[in-house]
Amino acid sequence: MTAKILVLLTRLITGVSVHFVNRFDISNKQRIFYSNHSSHLDFLLIWSILPDEQRKLTRPVAAKDYWGVGKIKKFFSTKILNAVLVHRKWRDVLGERNPIEKLLDTIKSGDSLVIFPEGTRSLDFKLKNFKSGIYHLAESYPELEFVPIYIDNLSRVLPKGEFLFIPILTRAVIGEPFRIHENETKSDFLTRARNNLIKLYPKESLNV
Amino acid sequence: MFDQDTILLLKIVLGLLIFASLIGLGLKKFSTNEKLEPVIDNLNSRTKAWWMMCIIFALALATGGIGSVILFGITSFLALREFITITPSKKADHKTLFWVFFIITPIQYYLIYIDWYGLFSIFIPVYAFLYIPARSALSGDSENFLERTAKIQWGLMISVYCISHAPALLTLKIPNYDNPAKLLFYLVLIVQLSDVFQYVFGKLFGRHKIAPKVSPNKTWEGFIGGVTSAVIVGTFFYWATPFSMLEAAGMSLIITLLGFLGGLTMSSIKRDQGIKDFGTMIEGHGGILDRMDSICFSAPIYFHLVRYFYS
């Protein structure tokens, strides 16, 4: 119920329109969705455009050092969004597990993930280099499909550092699913994943 | 709320819509000319939009003033959203834009609802226009300041201030004229008819372009044919207005000319931003501003003319 309302609200506020580069059935298979990160609403937006069945098994990956701090943020991220919280500086925290292990466990249980491989929200509209986590997931599960999603204009709805949103129209461009190649190196895979996302950038972005 | 004239108007429009839908259906089914297909599709989607407009309109009229204030308030909000989406804004404008969407726009429509003419006619051009640059300046980013401010002001002017004069027609008190909702009906009818006549005449006879760089579809033939037919219709609908027959002709001429200029101006804005429709970039969402461009320019002038000469 909460999820339904949240989805409706997100769609209403962002007026998101969804475009497939090549339409495929996105509804049920376990997949890793990854996207550019410019706003706190990124995950909500991706969540809201997924079909119900897929949404039920899709969990965001969020930074524990941000979303796990404070009662409200923690409640929202864990109880409502069912996020997998990972610590960006896990080595410095006693008893904190390796994020990759946590993610692999989640994949093992059959859930889909939404990840932001840039690691943090980018302020300019350039896509940062990817952190290596996405590669480790692909390496451990070579059959796993990765789906790039480009989110356009959302940083204007809720920019970093603001807490009031404005109802600017956004869009999401969904690319084609792909897998890791046999013997693909870490840097090759990361470059390919990043390029597959950059390919989705429209010629004229709404982010003028 | 519905007097005899209003009911007659509604019946006529309903008849026209049924007629247009049937013709559209027939053309779609029997036309074999491929070149005409986009024209037929365009007309059919216009007809569909008019059905929606007509239904919402009737509902708004049935609920009296508040209905049309809410209806046009939402229209303004969505139009502003389209305008701001295609207009570059910076992070420093964020709080300003929040004010524009959630505080200034509702206040403008509230002022119309409570019929405070003295304030609603200057609220945006004076108070909002001074507030907007001040709020953006407070954010401390002066890059492209004039441009950013002007764009927000323009968006507010076109989408909110201008459009809000349409429901404001309902607040006019005209001696011996019962239901000012008919004034609004008249405005929308003439503007829409002029739009579609210009389109049809342009498609049929269009040769000489008026401003090819701004709007390649606007031709002198379409313009003259469209305006003339809309003025003829407007003249014969004089019974629905407080105007005499001659005055109705003059009024519909002014409405159609302003509508034309509105369309041309909005085309320039779109061209400048490198898009074709306010709707095309955002599938299934846009287009409100594309439909409202002629109303934007005609509504405020029509309002003031009627107010000055008849109320």
Side-chain angles (χ1 to χ4, degrees), chain A residues 12-43:
Chain A
L12 210 63
I13 293 164
T14 62
V16 62
S17 60
V18 183
H19 306 260
F20 280 87
V21 168
N22 214 338
R23 190 165 269 285
F24 63 92
D25 183 14
I26 199 170
S27 63
N28 43 32
K29 201 170 161 189
Q30 178 184 30
R31 287 193 174 100
I32 307 296
F33 303 100
Y34 69 97
S35 164
N36 55 320
H37 198 18
S38 60
S39 166
H40 277 322
L41 297 176
D42 285 333
F43 169 71

PDB file of all heavy atoms in Angstrom, chain A residues 12-43:
ATOM      1  N   LEU A  12       3.692  11.266 -10.356  1.00  0.00           N
ATOM      2  CA  LEU A  12       2.962  12.529 -10.455  1.00  0.00           C
ATOM      3  C   LEU A  12       3.929  13.709 -10.429  1.00  0.00           C
ATOM      4  O   LEU A  12       3.845  14.630 -11.232  1.00  0.00           O
ATOM      5  CB  LEU A  12       1.986  12.618  -9.283  1.00  0.00           C
ATOM      6  CG  LEU A  12       0.699  13.382  -9.494  1.00  0.00           C
ATOM      7  CD1 LEU A  12      -0.138  12.723 -10.571  1.00  0.00           C
ATOM      8  CD2 LEU A  12      -0.076  13.446  -8.187  1.00  0.00           C
ATOM      9  N   ILE A  13       4.857  13.673  -9.478  1.00  0.00           N
ATOM     10  CA  ILE A  13       5.782  14.793  -9.303  1.00  0.00           C
ATOM     11  C   ILE A  13       6.749  14.895 -10.465  1.00  0.00           C
ATOM     12  O   ILE A  13       7.015  15.975 -10.985  1.00  0.00           O
ATOM     13  CB  ILE A  13       6.563  14.644  -7.974  1.00  0.00           C
ATOM     14  CG1 ILE A  13       5.613  14.793  -6.793  1.00  0.00           C
ATOM     15  CG2 ILE A  13       7.685  15.665  -7.891  1.00  0.00           C
ATOM     16  CD1 ILE A  13       6.191  14.291  -5.497  1.00  0.00           C
ATOM     17  N   THR A  14       7.271  13.750 -10.904  1.00  0.00           N
ATOM     18  CA  THR A  14       8.318  13.806 -11.924  1.00  0.00           C
ATOM     19  C   THR A  14       7.743  13.702 -13.339  1.00  0.00           C
ATOM     20  O   THR A  14       8.471  13.910 -14.298  1.00  0.00           O
ATOM     21  CB  THR A  14       9.317  12.654 -11.752  1.00  0.00           C
ATOM     22  OG1 THR A  14       8.597  11.420 -11.920  1.00  0.00           O
ATOM     23  CG2 THR A  14       9.951  12.670 -10.391  1.00  0.00           C
ATOM     24  N   GLY A  15       6.465  13.377 -13.466  1.00  0.00           N
ATOM     25  CA  GLY A  15       5.853  13.222 -14.788  1.00  0.00           C
ATOM     26  C   GLY A  15       6.691  12.376 -15.726  1.00  0.00           C
ATOM     27  O   GLY A  15       6.780  12.657 -16.914  1.00  0.00           O
ATOM     28  N   VAL A  16       7.296  11.330 -15.192  1.00  0.00           N
ATOM     29  CA  VAL A  16       8.326  10.599 -15.950  1.00  0.00           C
ATOM     30  C   VAL A  16       7.738   9.897 -17.174  1.00  0.00           C
ATOM     31  O   VAL A  16       6.659   9.331 -17.126  1.00  0.00           O
ATOM     32  CB  VAL A  16       9.053   9.586 -15.034  1.00  0.00           C
ATOM     33  CG1 VAL A  16       8.098   8.548 -14.502  1.00  0.00           C
ATOM     34  CG2 VAL A  16      10.209   8.924 -15.760  1.00  0.00           C
ATOM     35  N   SER A  17       8.454  10.009 -18.287  1.00  0.00           N
ATOM     36  CA  SER A  17       8.083   9.235 -19.464  1.00  0.00           C
ATOM     37  C   SER A  17       9.188   8.211 -19.700  1.00  0.00           C
ATOM     38  O   SER A  17      10.365   8.506 -19.516  1.00  0.00           O
ATOM     39  CB  SER A  17       7.927  10.139 -20.676  1.00  0.00           C
ATOM     40  OG  SER A  17       9.131  10.803 -20.939  1.00  0.00           O
ATOM     41  N   VAL A  18       8.800   7.000 -20.070  1.00  0.00           N
ATOM     42  CA  VAL A  18       9.758   5.907 -20.189  1.00  0.00           C
ATOM     43  C   VAL A  18       9.987   5.572 -21.657  1.00  0.00           C
ATOM     44  O   VAL A  18       9.038   5.482 -22.427  1.00  0.00           O
ATOM     45  CB  VAL A  18       9.228   4.659 -19.458  1.00  0.00           C
ATOM     46  CG1 VAL A  18      10.258   3.537 -19.508  1.00  0.00           C
ATOM     47  CG2 VAL A  18       8.875   5.000 -18.028  1.00  0.00           C
ATOM     48  N   HIS A  19      11.250   5.454 -22.028  1.00  0.00           N
ATOM     49  CA  HIS A  19      11.579   5.094 -23.402  1.00  0.00           C
ATOM     50  C   HIS A  19      12.482   3.867 -23.393  1.00  0.00           C
ATOM     51  O   HIS A  19      13.453   3.829 -22.636  1.00  0.00           O
ATOM     52  CB  HIS A  19      12.321   6.245 -24.097  1.00  0.00           C
ATOM     53  CG  HIS A  19      11.577   7.541 -24.027  1.00  0.00           C
ATOM     54  ND1 HIS A  19      10.834   8.022 -25.065  1.00  0.00           N
ATOM     55  CD2 HIS A  19      11.446   8.442 -23.022  1.00  0.00           C
ATOM     56  CE1 HIS A  19      10.264   9.161 -24.715  1.00  0.00           C
ATOM     57  NE2 HIS A  19      10.632   9.441 -23.478  1.00  0.00           N
ATOM     58  N   PHE A  20      12.149   2.892 -24.209  1.00  0.00           N
ATOM     59  CA  PHE A  20      13.024   1.732 -24.374  1.00  0.00           C
ATOM     60  C   PHE A  20      13.845   1.924 -25.644  1.00  0.00           C
ATOM     61  O   PHE A  20      13.311   2.339 -26.668  1.00  0.00           O
ATOM     62  CB  PHE A  20      12.198   0.457 -24.531  1.00  0.00           C
ATOM     63  CG  PHE A  20      11.693  -0.106 -23.236  1.00  0.00           C
ATOM     64  CD1 PHE A  20      10.492   0.332 -22.686  1.00  0.00           C
ATOM     65  CD2 PHE A  20      12.413  -1.081 -22.575  1.00  0.00           C
ATOM     66  CE1 PHE A  20      10.025  -0.192 -21.505  1.00  0.00           C
ATOM     67  CE2 PHE A  20      11.951  -1.614 -21.386  1.00  0.00           C
ATOM     68  CZ  PHE A  20      10.751  -1.171 -20.842  1.00  0.00           C
ATOM     69  N   VAL A  21      15.141   1.614 -25.577  1.00  0.00           N
ATOM     70  CA  VAL A  21      15.941   1.635 -26.786  1.00  0.00           C
ATOM     71  C   VAL A  21      15.474   0.487 -27.673  1.00  0.00           C
ATOM     72  O   VAL A  21      15.321   0.613 -28.878  1.00  0.00           O
ATOM     73  CB  VAL A  21      17.437   1.475 -26.437  1.00  0.00           C
ATOM     74  CG1 VAL A  21      18.239   1.205 -27.695  1.00  0.00           C
ATOM     75  CG2 VAL A  21      17.938   2.716 -25.738  1.00  0.00           C
ATOM     76  N   ASN A  22      15.205  -0.652 -27.025  1.00  0.00           N
ATOM     77  CA  ASN A  22      14.729  -1.828 -27.715  1.00  0.00           C
ATOM     78  C   ASN A  22      13.826  -2.563 -26.731  1.00  0.00           C
ATOM     79  O   ASN A  22      14.313  -3.113 -25.756  1.00  0.00           O
ATOM     80  CB  ASN A  22      15.920  -2.707 -28.102  1.00  0.00           C
ATOM     81  CG  ASN A  22      15.678  -3.412 -29.400  1.00  0.00           C
ATOM     82  OD1 ASN A  22      14.507  -3.576 -29.796  1.00  0.00           O
ATOM     83  ND2 ASN A  22      16.729  -3.838 -30.059  1.00  0.00           N
ATOM     84  N   ARG A  23      12.542  -2.519 -26.966  1.00  0.00           N
ATOM     85  CA  ARG A  23      11.616  -3.007 -25.939  1.00  0.00           C
ATOM     86  C   ARG A  23      11.847  -4.486 -25.608  1.00  0.00           C
ATOM     87  O   ARG A  23      12.059  -5.301 -26.497  1.00  0.00           O
ATOM     88  CB  ARG A  23      10.169  -2.805 -26.401  1.00  0.00           C
ATOM     89  CG  ARG A  23       9.167  -3.051 -25.309  1.00  0.00           C
ATOM     90  CD  ARG A  23       7.811  -2.504 -25.696  1.00  0.00           C
ATOM     91  NE  ARG A  23       7.614  -1.123 -25.263  1.00  0.00           N
ATOM     92  CZ  ARG A  23       7.370  -0.781 -24.005  1.00  0.00           C
ATOM     93  NH1 ARG A  23       7.318  -1.693 -23.053  1.00  0.00           N
ATOM     94  NH2 ARG A  23       7.186   0.484 -23.692  1.00  0.00           N
ATOM     95  N   PHE A  24      11.891  -4.802 -24.310  1.00  0.00           N
ATOM     96  CA  PHE A  24      12.000  -6.201 -23.885  1.00  0.00           C
ATOM     97  C   PHE A  24      11.144  -6.364 -22.643  1.00  0.00           C
ATOM     98  O   PHE A  24      10.675  -5.379 -22.071  1.00  0.00           O
ATOM     99  CB  PHE A  24      13.462  -6.564 -23.597  1.00  0.00           C
ATOM    100  CG  PHE A  24      14.072  -5.785 -22.462  1.00  0.00           C
ATOM    101  CD1 PHE A  24      14.046  -6.279 -21.168  1.00  0.00           C
ATOM    102  CD2 PHE A  24      14.670  -4.547 -22.689  1.00  0.00           C
ATOM    103  CE1 PHE A  24      14.609  -5.550 -20.123  1.00  0.00           C
ATOM    104  CE2 PHE A  24      15.223  -3.815 -21.651  1.00  0.00           C
ATOM    105  CZ  PHE A  24      15.194  -4.320 -20.360  1.00  0.00           C
ATOM    106  N   ASP A  25      10.910  -7.646 -22.261  1.00  0.00           N
ATOM    107  CA  ASP A  25      10.054  -7.882 -21.106  1.00  0.00           C
ATOM    108  C   ASP A  25      10.844  -7.637 -19.827  1.00  0.00           C
ATOM    109  O   ASP A  25      11.758  -8.388 -19.493  1.00  0.00           O
ATOM    110  CB  ASP A  25       9.526  -9.316 -21.133  1.00  0.00           C
ATOM    111  CG  ASP A  25       8.565  -9.571 -19.982  1.00  0.00           C
ATOM    112  OD1 ASP A  25       8.123  -8.575 -19.365  1.00  0.00           O
ATOM    113  OD2 ASP A  25       8.265 -10.734 -19.700  1.00  0.00           O
ATOM    114  N   ILE A  26      10.464  -6.587 -19.143  1.00  0.00           N
ATOM    115  CA  ILE A  26      11.246  -6.170 -17.974  1.00  0.00           C
ATOM    116  C   ILE A  26      10.591  -6.669 -16.695  1.00  0.00           C
ATOM    117  O   ILE A  26      11.053  -6.435 -15.590  1.00  0.00           O
ATOM    118  CB  ILE A  26      11.364  -4.620 -17.982  1.00  0.00           C
ATOM    119  CG1 ILE A  26      12.516  -4.157 -17.087  1.00  0.00           C
ATOM    120  CG2 ILE A  26      10.071  -3.948 -17.589  1.00  0.00           C
ATOM    121  CD1 ILE A  26      12.821  -2.683 -17.251  1.00  0.00           C
ATOM    122  N   SER A  27       9.483  -7.441 -16.852  1.00  0.00           N
ATOM    123  CA  SER A  27       8.604  -7.639 -15.696  1.00  0.00           C
ATOM    124  C   SER A  27       9.127  -8.578 -14.611  1.00  0.00           C
ATOM    125  O   SER A  27       8.932  -8.327 -13.440  1.00  0.00           O
ATOM    126  CB  SER A  27       7.216  -8.078 -16.164  1.00  0.00           C
ATOM    127  OG  SER A  27       7.311  -9.326 -16.809  1.00  0.00           O
ATOM    128  N   ASN A  28       9.772  -9.701 -14.947  1.00  0.00           N
ATOM    129  CA  ASN A  28      10.000 -10.621 -13.826  1.00  0.00           C
ATOM    130  C   ASN A  28      11.419 -11.141 -13.628  1.00  0.00           C
ATOM    131  O   ASN A  28      11.807 -11.475 -12.538  1.00  0.00           O
ATOM    132  CB  ASN A  28       9.059 -11.826 -13.930  1.00  0.00           C
ATOM    133  CG  ASN A  28       8.994 -12.324 -15.358  1.00  0.00           C
ATOM    134  OD1 ASN A  28       9.992 -12.214 -16.083  1.00  0.00           O
ATOM    135  ND2 ASN A  28       7.857 -12.852 -15.765  1.00  0.00           N
ATOM    136  N   LYS A  29      12.235 -11.211 -14.646  1.00  0.00           N
ATOM    137  CA  LYS A  29      13.545 -11.844 -14.484  1.00  0.00           C
ATOM    138  C   LYS A  29      14.434 -11.062 -13.507  1.00  0.00           C
ATOM    139  O   LYS A  29      14.369  -9.832 -13.450  1.00  0.00           O
ATOM    140  CB  LYS A  29      14.194 -11.880 -15.857  1.00  0.00           C
ATOM    141  CG  LYS A  29      15.275 -12.884 -16.000  1.00  0.00           C
ATOM    142  CD  LYS A  29      15.651 -12.968 -17.478  1.00  0.00           C
ATOM    143  CE  LYS A  29      17.015 -13.598 -17.607  1.00  0.00           C
ATOM    144  NZ  LYS A  29      17.485 -13.501 -18.989  1.00  0.00           N
ATOM    145  N   GLN A  30      15.261 -11.797 -12.774  1.00  0.00           N
ATOM    146  CA  GLN A  30      16.204 -11.116 -11.875  1.00  0.00           C
ATOM    147  C   GLN A  30      17.248 -10.353 -12.695  1.00  0.00           C
ATOM    148  O   GLN A  30      17.862 -10.899 -13.608  1.00  0.00           O
ATOM    149  CB  GLN A  30      16.927 -12.146 -11.009  1.00  0.00           C
ATOM    150  CG  GLN A  30      17.943 -11.490 -10.091  1.00  0.00           C
ATOM    151  CD  GLN A  30      18.737 -12.510  -9.289  1.00  0.00           C
ATOM    152  OE1 GLN A  30      18.967 -13.626  -9.733  1.00  0.00           O
ATOM    153  NE2 GLN A  30      19.145 -12.115  -8.098  1.00  0.00           N
ATOM    154  N   ARG A  31      17.403  -9.062 -12.359  1.00  0.00           N
ATOM    155  CA  ARG A  31      18.347  -8.251 -13.122  1.00  0.00           C
ATOM    156  C   ARG A  31      19.018  -7.221 -12.226  1.00  0.00           C
ATOM    157  O   ARG A  31      18.530  -6.909 -11.159  1.00  0.00           O
ATOM    158  CB  ARG A  31      17.612  -7.502 -14.251  1.00  0.00           C
ATOM    159  CG  ARG A  31      17.191  -8.404 -15.390  1.00  0.00           C
ATOM    160  CD  ARG A  31      16.782  -7.572 -16.583  1.00  0.00           C
ATOM    161  NE  ARG A  31      16.520  -8.413 -17.730  1.00  0.00           N
ATOM    162  CZ  ARG A  31      15.292  -8.778 -18.119  1.00  0.00           C
ATOM    163  NH1 ARG A  31      14.237  -8.389 -17.462  1.00  0.00           N
ATOM    164  NH2 ARG A  31      15.141  -9.551 -19.180  1.00  0.00           N
ATOM    165  N   ILE A  32      20.132  -6.706 -12.704  1.00  0.00           N
ATOM    166  CA  ILE A  32      20.777  -5.591 -12.005  1.00  0.00           C
ATOM    167  C   ILE A  32      20.538  -4.335 -12.836  1.00  0.00           C
ATOM    168  O   ILE A  32      20.983  -4.234 -13.973  1.00  0.00           O
ATOM    169  CB  ILE A  32      22.303  -5.813 -11.867  1.00  0.00           C
ATOM    170  CG1 ILE A  32      22.610  -7.158 -11.226  1.00  0.00           C
ATOM    171  CG2 ILE A  32      22.933  -4.677 -11.064  1.00  0.00           C
ATOM    172  CD1 ILE A  32      22.125  -7.320  -9.805  1.00  0.00           C
ATOM    173  N   PHE A  33      19.791  -3.400 -12.287  1.00  0.00           N
ATOM    174  CA  PHE A  33      19.577  -2.124 -12.967  1.00  0.00           C
ATOM    175  C   PHE A  33      20.616  -1.146 -12.453  1.00  0.00           C
ATOM    176  O   PHE A  33      20.855  -1.074 -11.246  1.00  0.00           O
ATOM    177  CB  PHE A  33      18.168  -1.594 -12.670  1.00  0.00           C
ATOM    178  CG  PHE A  33      17.080  -2.553 -13.057  1.00  0.00           C
ATOM    179  CD1 PHE A  33      16.479  -3.353 -12.097  1.00  0.00           C
ATOM    180  CD2 PHE A  33      16.670  -2.662 -14.372  1.00  0.00           C
ATOM    181  CE1 PHE A  33      15.484  -4.251 -12.454  1.00  0.00           C
ATOM    182  CE2 PHE A  33      15.670  -3.551 -14.730  1.00  0.00           C
ATOM    183  CZ  PHE A  33      15.076  -4.356 -13.773  1.00  0.00           C
ATOM    184  N   TYR A  34      21.231  -0.427 -13.354  1.00  0.00           N
ATOM    185  CA  TYR A  34      22.172   0.584 -12.881  1.00  0.00           C
ATOM    186  C   TYR A  34      21.940   1.890 -13.626  1.00  0.00           C
ATOM    187  O   TYR A  34      21.432   1.897 -14.744  1.00  0.00           O
ATOM    188  CB  TYR A  34      23.619   0.101 -13.000  1.00  0.00           C
ATOM    189  CG  TYR A  34      24.128  -0.032 -14.400  1.00  0.00           C
ATOM    190  CD1 TYR A  34      24.880   0.996 -14.970  1.00  0.00           C
ATOM    191  CD2 TYR A  34      23.895  -1.183 -15.143  1.00  0.00           C
ATOM    192  CE1 TYR A  34      25.374   0.872 -16.262  1.00  0.00           C
ATOM    193  CE2 TYR A  34      24.377  -1.305 -16.429  1.00  0.00           C
ATOM    194  CZ  TYR A  34      25.112  -0.284 -16.990  1.00  0.00           C
ATOM    195  OH  TYR A  34      25.590  -0.398 -18.265  1.00  0.00           O
ATOM    196  N   SER A  35      22.305   2.981 -12.975  1.00  0.00           N
ATOM    197  CA  SER A  35      21.879   4.274 -13.495  1.00  0.00           C
ATOM    198  C   SER A  35      22.820   5.379 -13.071  1.00  0.00           C
ATOM    199  O   SER A  35      23.600   5.226 -12.130  1.00  0.00           O
ATOM    200  CB  SER A  35      20.470   4.524 -12.969  1.00  0.00           C
ATOM    201  OG  SER A  35      20.138   5.866 -13.110  1.00  0.00           O
ATOM    202  N   ASN A  36      22.709   6.504 -13.780  1.00  0.00           N
ATOM    203  CA  ASN A  36      23.440   7.708 -13.343  1.00  0.00           C
ATOM    204  C   ASN A  36      22.779   8.240 -12.067  1.00  0.00           C
ATOM    205  O   ASN A  36      21.583   8.036 -11.850  1.00  0.00           O
ATOM    206  CB  ASN A  36      23.443   8.768 -14.444  1.00  0.00           C
ATOM    207  CG  ASN A  36      22.042   9.115 -14.910  1.00  0.00           C
ATOM    208  OD1 ASN A  36      21.190   8.237 -15.035  1.00  0.00           O
ATOM    209  ND2 ASN A  36      21.787  10.385 -15.156  1.00  0.00           N
ATOM    210  N   HIS A  37      23.557   8.887 -11.239  1.00  0.00           N
ATOM    211  CA  HIS A  37      23.046   9.266  -9.914  1.00  0.00           C
ATOM    212  C   HIS A  37      23.173  10.773  -9.740  1.00  0.00           C
ATOM    213  O   HIS A  37      24.267  11.311  -9.662  1.00  0.00           O
ATOM    214  CB  HIS A  37      23.875   8.537  -8.860  1.00  0.00           C
ATOM    215  CG  HIS A  37      23.220   8.493  -7.524  1.00  0.00           C
ATOM    216  ND1 HIS A  37      21.872   8.721  -7.343  1.00  0.00           N
ATOM    217  CD2 HIS A  37      23.709   8.210  -6.291  1.00  0.00           C
ATOM    218  CE1 HIS A  37      21.576   8.596  -6.054  1.00  0.00           C
ATOM    219  NE2 HIS A  37      22.677   8.292  -5.396  1.00  0.00           N
ATOM    220  N   SER A  38      22.041  11.466  -9.676  1.00  0.00           N
ATOM    221  CA  SER A  38      22.137  12.913  -9.503  1.00  0.00           C
ATOM    222  C   SER A  38      21.202  13.439  -8.443  1.00  0.00           C
ATOM    223  O   SER A  38      21.228  14.617  -8.106  1.00  0.00           O
ATOM    224  CB  SER A  38      21.852  13.613 -10.837  1.00  0.00           C
ATOM    225  OG  SER A  38      20.553  13.281 -11.261  1.00  0.00           O
ATOM    226  N   SER A  39      20.323  12.574  -7.912  1.00  0.00           N
ATOM    227  CA  SER A  39      19.336  13.059  -6.959  1.00  0.00           C
ATOM    228  C   SER A  39      18.935  11.920  -6.028  1.00  0.00           C
ATOM    229  O   SER A  39      19.050  10.744  -6.375  1.00  0.00           O
ATOM    230  CB  SER A  39      18.095  13.566  -7.704  1.00  0.00           C
ATOM    231  OG  SER A  39      17.024  13.728  -6.827  1.00  0.00           O
ATOM    232  N   HIS A  40      18.445  12.289  -4.848  1.00  0.00           N
ATOM    233  CA  HIS A  40      17.949  11.269  -3.935  1.00  0.00           C
ATOM    234  C   HIS A  40      16.760  10.515  -4.509  1.00  0.00           C
ATOM    235  O   HIS A  40      16.414   9.435  -4.083  1.00  0.00           O
ATOM    236  CB  HIS A  40      17.503  11.915  -2.622  1.00  0.00           C
ATOM    237  CG  HIS A  40      18.641  12.144  -1.676  1.00  0.00           C
ATOM    238  ND1 HIS A  40      19.676  11.249  -1.548  1.00  0.00           N
ATOM    239  CD2 HIS A  40      18.905  13.140  -0.825  1.00  0.00           C
ATOM    240  CE1 HIS A  40      20.531  11.708  -0.650  1.00  0.00           C
ATOM    241  NE2 HIS A  40      20.092  12.872  -0.202  1.00  0.00           N
ATOM    242  N   LEU A  41      16.116  11.123  -5.491  1.00  0.00           N
ATOM    243  CA  LEU A  41      14.909  10.508  -6.036  1.00  0.00           C
ATOM    244  C   LEU A  41      15.208   9.436  -7.085  1.00  0.00           C
ATOM    245  O   LEU A  41      14.305   8.765  -7.554  1.00  0.00           O
ATOM    246  CB  LEU A  41      14.009  11.582  -6.663  1.00  0.00           C
ATOM    247  CG  LEU A  41      13.455  12.639  -5.716  1.00  0.00           C
ATOM    248  CD1 LEU A  41      12.678  13.677  -6.507  1.00  0.00           C
ATOM    249  CD2 LEU A  41      12.554  12.004  -4.685  1.00  0.00           C
ATOM    250  N   ASP A  42      16.500   9.300  -7.455  1.00  0.00           N
ATOM    251  CA  ASP A  42      16.843   8.364  -8.527  1.00  0.00           C
ATOM    252  C   ASP A  42      16.244   6.983  -8.337  1.00  0.00           C
ATOM    253  O   ASP A  42      15.619   6.436  -9.232  1.00  0.00           O
ATOM    254  CB  ASP A  42      18.366   8.244  -8.658  1.00  0.00           C
ATOM    255  CG  ASP A  42      18.984   9.450  -9.333  1.00  0.00           C
ATOM    256  OD1 ASP A  42      18.279  10.094 -10.116  1.00  0.00           O
ATOM    257  OD2 ASP A  42      20.149   9.748  -9.039  1.00  0.00           O
ATOM    258  N   PHE A  43      16.452   6.429  -7.144  1.00  0.00           N
ATOM    259  CA  PHE A  43      15.950   5.081  -6.942  1.00  0.00           C
ATOM    260  C   PHE A  43      14.431   5.036  -7.019  1.00  0.00           C
ATOM    261  O   PHE A  43      13.843   4.175  -7.675  1.00  0.00           O
ATOM    262  CB  PHE A  43      16.411   4.482  -5.611  1.00  0.00           C
ATOM    263  CG  PHE A  43      15.667   3.216  -5.318  1.00  0.00           C
ATOM    264  CD1 PHE A  43      15.927   2.080  -6.075  1.00  0.00           C
ATOM    265  CD2 PHE A  43      14.671   3.167  -4.362  1.00  0.00           C
ATOM    266  CE1 PHE A  43      15.202   0.919  -5.877  1.00  0.00           C
ATOM    267  CE2 PHE A  43      13.945   2.015  -4.164  1.00  0.00           C
ATOM    268  CZ  PHE A  43      14.213   0.880  -4.920  1.00  0.00           C
TER     269      PHE A  43
END
